[in-house]
Amino acid sequence: FGVEGFGRGDEVIFSEVSPRPHDTGLVTIGSQQWTEFALHARAILGLPVPPIRLLRPACSVAILGQGNGVPLFSGLEQALAVPESHVRLFGKPECRGHRRLAVAIASADTLEEARGRAHQVASHVRVTLQ
């Protein structure tokens, strides 16, 4: 299971448990040597989980759709021009209501810079529904 939690100082706040890696954990793509997918596979296969080491501060920003229809994305070239950035499109065949459709991920030397980059990446991605 993927267990989602948030840290604030010395406090850990539980969020949810899901039977698969969760999109909020995609920040591991930019922050550490073991992504959530690699860790999930190791857990399922009963393999040891190696020590996890932070490589760079990273942040993620959800890219949302609003309304009903088939999502189409634009602005990806500009989004990926942001240094140390990734965009993951979830491949959902349709949007109904308010739904996460993608995530912007960015890393940097500082958490503040990573957060700024992730927001910059997300701001370039446009979702239109057909």
Side-chain angles (χ1 to χ4, degrees), residues 22-32 35-37 56-63 76 78-90 102-108 111 113-123 125:
H22 198 271
D23 63 283
T24 54
L26 289 169
V27 73
T28 58
I29 291 170
S31 65
Q32 62 193 47
T35 69
E36 70 170 330
F37 299 106
R56 309 247 312 139
C59 287
S60 66
V61 173
I63 298 170
L76 297 174
Q78 297 90 342
L80 295 175
V82 176
E84 299 185 62
S85 67
H86 304 266
V87 175
R88 294 296 188 265
L89 307 178
F90 298 155
V103 67
I105 306 159
S107 55
L111 184 58
E113 187 179 6
R115 184 177 296 123
R117 284 181 180 176
H119 280 284
Q120 183 182 8
V121 171
S123 73
V125 179

Side-chain angles (χ1 to χ4, degrees), residues 14-94:
F14 172 78
S15 177
E16 71 175 289
V17 174
S18 64
R20 59 179 168 32
H22 198 271
D23 63 283
T24 54
L26 289 169
V27 73
T28 58
I29 291 170
S31 65
Q32 62 193 47
Q33 80 277 27
W34 298 102
T35 69
E36 70 170 330
F37 299 106
L39 295 171
H40 198 77
R42 284 175 169 270
I44 289 169
L45 297 170
L47 298 172
V49 174
I52 298 170
R53 184 171 49 94
L54 178 70
L55 299 175
R56 309 247 312 139
C59 287
S60 66
V61 173
I63 298 170
L64 307 171
Q66 179 66 43
N68 298 308
V70 176
L72 300 173
F73 298 91
S74 61
L76 297 174
E77 186 174 333
Q78 297 90 342
L80 295 175
V82 176
E84 299 185 62
S85 67
H86 304 266
V87 175
R88 294 296 188 265
L89 307 178
F90 298 155
K92 294 179 179 177
E94 66 179 324

Side-chain angles (χ1 to χ4, degrees), residues 4-8 11-16 24:
E4 181 180 84
F6 303 96
R8 182 174 58 196
E11 182 181 18
V12 176
I13 303 164
F14 172 78
S15 177
E16 71 175 289
T24 54

